[in-house]
Amino acid sequence: MKINYAEMTNHLGSSAVRDILKITQGKDIISLAGGLPAEELFPAEAIREAYSRVLTSSPTALQYGLTEGYLPLREQIAARLGQQGMPVSAHEMILTTGSQQAIDLLCRIMLDPGDTVLVEAPTYLAALQVLGSYRADIQVVMSDHAGMLPEHLEEQLRTHRPKLLYAVPTFNNPTGATWSRERREQVVALCRRYGVLILEDNPYGEIAFDESPQAYPPTLAAIDRGLGGDPCVVYTGTFSKIAAPGLRTGWIAGPAELVQILAKAKQAADLHSSTIDQRALHELLLVFDLEAHIRRISREYKSRMRLLSAELSSQRWQEASFLEPRGGMFLWLSLPAHIHTADLLPLAVEEGVAFVPGEVFYSEQPLRNAMRLNFTHTRPELLPLAVKRLETALSRYEQRLLPL
Amino acid sequence: MKINYAEMTNHLGSSAVRDILKITQGKDIISLAGGLPAEELFPAEAIREAYSRVLTSSPTALQYGLTEGYLPLREQIAARLGQQGMPVSAHEMILTTGSQQAIDLLCRIMLDPGDTVLVEAPTYLAALQVLGSYRADIQVVMSDHAGMLPEHLEEQLRTHRPKLLYAVPTFNNPTGATWSRERREQVVALCRRYGVLILEDNPYGEIAFDESPQAYPPTLAAIDRGLGGDPCVVYTGTFSKIAAPGLRTGWIAGPAELVQILAKAKQAADLHSSTIDQRALHELLLVFDLEAHIRRISREYKSRMRLLSAELSSQRWQEASFLEPRGGMFLWLSLPAHIHTADLLPLAVEEGVAFVPGEVFYSEQPLRNAMRLNFTHTRPELLPLAVKRLETALSRYEQRLLPL
C-alpha cells in the first residue's frame, strides 16, 4: 500500500554526521566526525553509584513522573544557572531528552510553516533539520569571527519579521567560534527592540579552555536577564558534554508562560523523559564534584585540541587555515577553494579517517572547502596518525584533479 | 514582550488526568484517576541489578547511541512480538520514550493540518491531544461492546478518506472494552481496501485476566501480518505497564520504509531515548522472567478489579452500570443521565476520592454521566473506602439537584 506521508517528511533530511558514523562503525577508522565526548573520561563509577542509590531508595523512581521533570534536579540546575549569571527558578524550566528535544519543542510551539527563523552560517546541523521539519523559512545573518553582524541582523529583522533567532554563540558547532561581549549585547538589544525570541543553544559553554571564567563573555541569557523586563532569550543546556550523553538530560529555561506551553507540548510528545536518569543525575550532583570534573575534562580536551592544532600547523598544511577554539569540541578547517571536502571524504574513509564536510552545516550557499574536526573523542596518541591519513587522502584528491 | 506562538498551541490542551493528579498530590485522597500501575509490584530489585550490570560493564552505555534504539533490546522485543503472532524484525521497529512518543512521531510524519483521523469514542485522552496538536480533523467511528461498527467505519472511510485510524482495541483506555475477533478482521480488511493506515495502540494487552491466551482475539497487527502483502497496521507497545513506567521505553513497529522515516523524525525530535534505560531493560530481560511477572501482576490487578466491581454492585449503585473488563487497568462506570461527573468531581475530591470524568475522553459530543476508574494503583484494602467516599459525594450531588 502506498503510504501518503505528511508534507514535512519531504523536509526531513537525515543527519550526515550520523550517516558517516554508520559507515565508520566497526571499521579501523579514526573518526573525527562525531560530536562525541571521550568515554574514558565519563565519571562512570560515580554515575553507577548514583543509579544504585536511586534504585534502592524508593520505588517511586520507577513510577510515572512530572512532565516538567524531577523538581530537585531542576532546582540544582537553577542554582548552577544562577551561579553563571542566569537567575531562573525551577518553574521557569523543563527537563528534556537532551537539548535536542528542547530545540524541537521550542520550534514546535513557535513555528507555523513559512515562519522565518534567523540563524548563523554555518550552524548546528540538527537544528537546521528541526527547522526544516517545521518548514521554517531559514534566513542567514552574516557573521565574522566575533559573531553576527548587527547591521545585517537589523536588516534581516526588518525585512523578515522573524519568529525566532537561533544561535550557538559559545564554542559554536561547527566552527568553535565565540561571539564577543559587544556583539552579544547588540544582538540581545536588537532582538528586544524587534520583539524577537532568541534560542541560545549552549551545550559546550562549560568546556572552557581558559581557566578564568572572566576570560569569556556572559551568555546571551545573562545579558538579557541583566536588562530586566520581559526576557527575550530562551536558554538550553545539557549534561551530555559535561557528564555523559547517555543520561539524555537537557533543560530549557525561559519566560514562565512559554515554559508552561512547552510543558504541554512535551506532555503530548512523550509525557516525560526518564525519571530514573533524572534522579540519578540529582544524586550524582549531591555528592560528585561536577565543577572539578568539568575542569578536568576541559584540560584534557584543550590538550587534544592543541595536539591537533600542532599537527595541522605543519608544512604540509600551509594552505589550510583555522582558528584555535577557546573551548568546546570542534575545530573548523578551511582548505583551498578548489578542494570540495564532500568529495574528499570517501578517500579519507578509505585511508582510515573521517570528518564532517563543512557544507552540511549550511541551509544555503554552503562553503565547500571546509571540514569540522572533533578533537574530544579520539585518543590523543591517534591524532597524529589521523592527520597523516588526512594528508594522504588530500594528496590522492589533488592528484585526481590533475589533467591526465 | 508579546510572544507570537504557533497556531498549534491553540489546540494544545493540558491533560485533565494530570491536572487532577496535581490537585490530589500530597492530600489524603484515594485516587482512582491516574493510569498508574502499582509501585509495590515493580520488580525493583531485578531492575536495580540490571542497571548495576549495565553500568559496570561498559562505558559505551553512557555514550550517544543509535536513534533507532539499542539493537539487542529491539531483537528481544521482536522475539516477543513473534511469539505473540506478530513476526517483525528489529529493523521494522524503533524504540521510543514510552508509547506516547510513538503516537506523536507517527502523527508527525503522517498528518498535515486538516487530515482526517478516525477514532473510537471514547478513546485515549493523550492521543486526542496529539491529534489536536497536529490539527487533525478527528472523526468518530461508532462502536458497540464488540468494537467499531464496520458499516459506519466504511461510511467514514468513504466520506473522509482519512490518513489514519487510531484505536486501542484491547482493554481500551478508558472503557476497558475489547474488540471481538470478527470486528478486528473486518476493520483490518476495510482499512486495507481503502489504503488507510491503522495505529494499534496496545499498552494494556498483556495485562490479561484470563490465563488462557486463547481466550483473547489476536491483535490487529497479527491479523494484518497474517493476510500477507503490505502491512497496514503500525503497532505500538510499551514496558510501562508490564515492567515500570520510569523506564520510559516503548516501541513502534511497522513497514520498514515507514520506520525509517520515523527514525528520521525521532532524530530531529531528540536524537535518541535513554540508552542506559534501554540497556538495563535488555539486561533485565536476559535474566528476569518477565512472563511470570506479567502473570503475577495480572492476577493481582484482576483481584483488585473484582473487589472494585463487587463494591460497585451493592444496593446503592443499582442505577449505575458497567462491564467488567477482561484485562487492563480501567473500569468504565456509567451513572444515570442527570449526573454530570465533571461536576461531581470537586465533591468527590472533598470527600477524599478522585476519578476522571468520562467527558474528557471524547473529541466531540461527550457522554457526561460516565467516569473512568483505575483499579491498579490503589491498595486493595482502600478500594471499599474509595467507593464509600464516592457514594457520599454522589448523595451530596443529588441533594444539590433537589429543588430548595
Side-chain angles (χ1 to χ4, degrees):
Chain A
M1 138 183 164
K2 168 90 184 70
I3 301 174
N4 184 9
Y5 298 102
E7 167 62 20
M8 69 84 77
T9 58
N10 298 322
H11 305 263
L12 197 59
S14 182
S15 159
V17 178
R18 291 179 86 81
D19 292 347
I20 294 165
L21 289 178
K22 271 195 188 162
I23 314 174
T24 60
Q25 238 173 16
K27 290 190 193 142
D28 177 29
I29 286 174
I30 305 174
S31 179
L32 309 177
L36 307 183
E39 282 125 32
E40 67 275 19
L41 302 179
F42 291 154
E45 183 55 25
I47 290 175
R48 197 190 60 68
E49 285 168 7
Y51 275 89
S52 173
R53 283 196 300 283
V54 167
L55 293 167
T56 41
S57 62
S58 160
T60 61
L62 298 175
Q63 189 55 281
Y64 283 109
L66 287 179
T67 297
E68 293 83 355
Y70 188 53
L71 182 59
L73 178 60
R74 277 186 283 148
E75 285 166 349
Q76 288 169 321
I77 296 169
R80 292 190 82 235
L81 292 178
Q83 286 156 10
Q84 294 165 9
M86 293 171 279
V88 298
S89 85
H91 301 285
E92 295 167 296
M93 177 196 304
I94 65 168
L95 303 184
T96 52
T97 305
S99 51
Q100 183 69 32
Q101 190 183 36
I103 300 170
D104 182 59
L105 291 176
L106 186 73
C107 290
R108 188 160 166 162
I109 68 162
M110 289 300 300
L111 301 179
D112 288 313
D115 281 346
T116 298
V117 178
L118 302 183
V119 300
E120 307 165 272
T123 193
Y124 176 47
L125 170 60
L128 291 178
Q129 286 180 291
V130 173
L131 294 174
S133 81
Y134 290 104
R135 296 150 67 191
D137 169 34
I138 302 174
Q139 293 290 335
V140 167
V141 180
M142 289 190 292
S143 319
D144 62 15
H145 66 282
M148 281 187 174
L149 298 174
E151 300 71 26
H152 192 230
L153 171 58
E154 184 153 20
E155 188 185 320
Q156 295 292 65
L157 287 167
R158 254 204 318 264
T159 314
H160 296 287
R161 296 277 156 190
K163 273 277 187 81
L164 196 65
L165 180 149
Y166 170 81
V168 187
T170 308
F171 317 142
N172 179 261
N173 176 0
T175 66
T178 295
W179 296 7
S180 71
R181 181 183 187 123
E182 189 188 3
R183 287 291 173 77
R184 287 169 191 247
E185 288 169 350
Q186 289 166 325
V187 168
V188 170
L190 279 168
C191 285
R192 279 189 165 226
R193 192 179 318 145
Y194 284 86
V196 169
L197 216 61
I198 297 175
L199 176 57
E200 179 176 25
D201 183 10
N202 194 15
Y204 311 105
E206 297 187 73
I207 310 288
F209 297 157
D210 194 318
E211 300 218 355
S212 156
Q214 287 76 42
Y216 298 97
T219 62
L220 305 183
I223 291 169
D224 182 46
R225 296 258 164 179
L227 292 172
D230 287 348
C232 86
V233 176
V234 178
Y235 181 88
T236 175
T238 175
F239 287 101
S240 292
K241 325 296 180 191
I242 57 175
L247 296 164
R248 302 304 302 123
T249 302
W251 61 85
I252 180 164
E257 172 207 86
L258 177 137
V259 167
Q260 275 178 26
I261 298 174
L262 280 173
K264 284 187 188 180
K266 179 158 173 67
Q267 190 173 288
D270 64 9
L271 300 182
H272 64 90
S273 300
S274 168
T275 321
I276 301 173
D277 296 349
Q278 292 174 8
R279 290 206 186 204
L281 257 168
H282 165 69
E283 281 290 336
L284 183 76
L285 296 183
L286 287 179
V287 300
F288 178 72
D289 188 345
L290 182 64
E291 316 311 323
H293 175 73
I294 292 171
R295 284 193 297 274
R296 191 159 55 241
I297 61 175
S298 299
R299 273 196 298 273
E300 174 62 23
Y301 290 161
K302 179 183 182 180
S303 129
R304 295 185 190 188
M305 182 277 288
R306 280 279 160 82
L307 187 57
L308 178 63
S309 164
E311 293 292 327
L312 292 174
S313 304
S314 72
Q315 188 60 21
R316 178 66 186 81
W317 292 90
Q318 54 183 331
E319 287 182 66
S321 72
F322 64 93
L323 286 177
E324 277 198 356
R326 298 175 59 207
M329 300 173 53
F330 304 109
L331 185 148
W332 183 249
L333 184 72
S334 296
L335 297 173
H338 67 280
I339 296 174
H340 288 189
T341 53
D343 300 334
L344 175 65
L345 180 62
L347 296 180
V349 168
E350 277 177 31
E351 294 301 327
V353 64
F355 59 83
V356 184
E359 64 183 57
V360 306
F361 301 100
Y362 292 82
S363 58
E364 55 175 28
Q365 298 181 303
L367 209 67
R368 301 212 182 274
N369 57 322
M371 64 173 73
R372 187 190 79 176
L373 298 174
N374 167 272
F375 49 78
T376 59
H377 188 246
T378 300
R379 301 267 181 160
E381 59 273 24
L382 291 175
L383 285 172
L385 180 60
V387 173
K388 212 173 140 40
R389 288 178 175 179
L390 213 45
E391 281 173 17
T392 312
L394 258 176
S395 300
R396 286 179 56 197
Y397 182 88
E398 297 207 317
Q399 273 172 344
R400 276 200 191 174
L401 294 182
L402 296 176
L404 288 176
Chain B
M1 134 183 169
K2 168 89 184 71
I3 301 173
N4 184 9
Y5 298 103
E7 167 63 19
M8 68 84 77
T9 59
N10 299 323
H11 305 264
L12 198 58
S14 181
S15 159
V17 178
R18 291 178 86 82
D19 293 345
I20 294 165
L21 290 179
K22 272 194 189 163
I23 316 174
T24 59
Q25 237 172 16
K27 291 190 193 144
D28 177 30
I29 286 174
I30 304 174
S31 179
L32 309 178
L36 307 182
E39 282 126 36
E40 66 275 18
L41 302 178
F42 291 154
E45 182 55 23
I47 290 175
R48 197 189 61 68
E49 287 168 8
Y51 275 88
S52 174
R53 283 196 301 282
V54 167
L55 292 166
T56 40
S57 62
S58 160
T60 60
L62 298 175
Q63 189 54 281
Y64 283 108
L66 286 179
T67 296
E68 293 82 356
Y70 188 54
L71 182 59
L73 178 59
R74 278 186 283 147
E75 285 166 348
Q76 286 170 322
I77 296 169
R80 291 191 83 233
L81 292 178
Q83 286 156 10
Q84 294 165 9
M86 294 171 277
V88 298
S89 86
H91 301 285
E92 295 167 296
M93 176 195 305
I94 65 167
L95 303 184
T96 51
T97 304
S99 51
Q100 183 69 32
Q101 191 184 37
I103 299 170
D104 181 59
L105 291 176
L106 187 73
C107 289
R108 189 161 166 161
I109 69 162
M110 290 300 300
L111 301 179
D112 288 312
D115 280 346
T116 298
V117 178
L118 301 183
V119 301
E120 307 166 272
T123 193
Y124 176 47
L125 171 59
L128 291 178
Q129 287 180 290
V130 173
L131 294 174
S133 81
Y134 291 103
R135 296 151 65 192
D137 169 34
I138 303 173
Q139 293 289 335
V140 167
V141 179
M142 289 190 292
S143 319
D144 62 16
H145 66 284
M148 281 187 172
L149 299 174
E151 300 71 26
H152 192 231
L153 172 57
E154 182 153 20
E155 189 185 320
Q156 296 292 65
L157 287 167
R158 255 202 320 260
T159 314
H160 296 287
R161 296 277 158 190
K163 272 275 188 84
L164 195 64
L165 180 148
Y166 170 82
V168 187
T170 308
F171 317 143
N172 180 259
N173 176 0
T175 66
T178 296
W179 296 7
S180 71
R181 180 181 190 125
E182 190 188 2
R183 287 290 172 77
R184 289 168 190 247
E185 288 169 349
Q186 289 166 325
V187 167
V188 170
L190 279 168
C191 285
R192 280 188 165 226
R193 192 179 319 146
Y194 284 85
V196 170
L197 215 61
I198 297 174
L199 176 56
E200 178 175 27
D201 184 10
N202 195 15
Y204 312 106
E206 296 187 74
I207 310 288
F209 297 156
D210 194 317
E211 302 217 355
S212 155
Q214 288 77 42
Y216 298 97
T219 62
L220 304 183
I223 291 168
D224 181 46
R225 296 258 163 179
L227 292 173
D230 287 349
C232 86
V233 176
V234 178
Y235 181 88
T236 175
T238 175
F239 287 101
S240 292
K241 326 296 180 190
I242 57 175
L247 297 163
R248 303 303 303 124
T249 302
W251 62 86
I252 180 164
E257 171 207 85
L258 177 137
V259 167
Q260 275 178 25
I261 298 175
L262 280 173
K264 285 187 187 178
K266 179 158 172 69
Q267 191 173 288
D270 63 9
L271 299 183
H272 63 89
S273 300
S274 169
T275 321
I276 302 174
D277 296 349
Q278 292 174 9
R279 289 207 187 203
L281 257 169
H282 166 70
E283 281 290 337
L284 182 76
L285 296 183
L286 286 179
V287 300
F288 178 72
D289 189 345
L290 182 64
E291 315 312 323
H293 176 73
I294 293 171
R295 284 194 297 274
R296 191 160 55 242
I297 62 175
S298 300
R299 272 197 298 273
E300 174 61 25
Y301 290 161
K302 179 183 182 179
S303 128
R304 294 185 190 188
M305 182 278 289
R306 280 279 161 82
L307 188 56
L308 178 64
S309 164
E311 293 293 327
L312 292 173
S313 304
S314 72
Q315 188 60 22
R316 178 66 186 82
W317 292 90
Q318 55 183 331
E319 286 181 66
S321 71
F322 65 93
L323 286 177
E324 278 197 356
R326 297 174 60 208
M329 300 173 53
F330 304 110
L331 185 148
W332 183 249
L333 184 71
S334 297
L335 296 173
H338 67 281
I339 296 175
H340 288 190
T341 53
D343 301 332
L344 175 64
L345 180 62
L347 297 180
V349 168
E350 278 177 30
E351 294 301 326
V353 64
F355 58 83
V356 184
E359 63 183 58
V360 307
F361 301 100
Y362 294 82
S363 58
E364 55 175 30
Q365 299 181 304
L367 209 67
R368 302 214 180 274
N369 58 321
M371 64 172 74
R372 187 191 79 175
L373 298 174
N374 166 273
F375 48 79
T376 58
H377 187 246
T378 301
R379 301 265 182 163
E381 58 273 24
L382 291 175
L383 285 172
L385 180 59
V387 173
K388 212 172 140 39
R389 289 178 175 179
L390 213 45
E391 282 174 16
T392 312
L394 258 175
S395 300
R396 285 178 57 197
Y397 182 90
E398 296 208 316
Q399 271 171 346
R400 278 200 189 173
L401 294 182
L402 294 176
L404 288 176

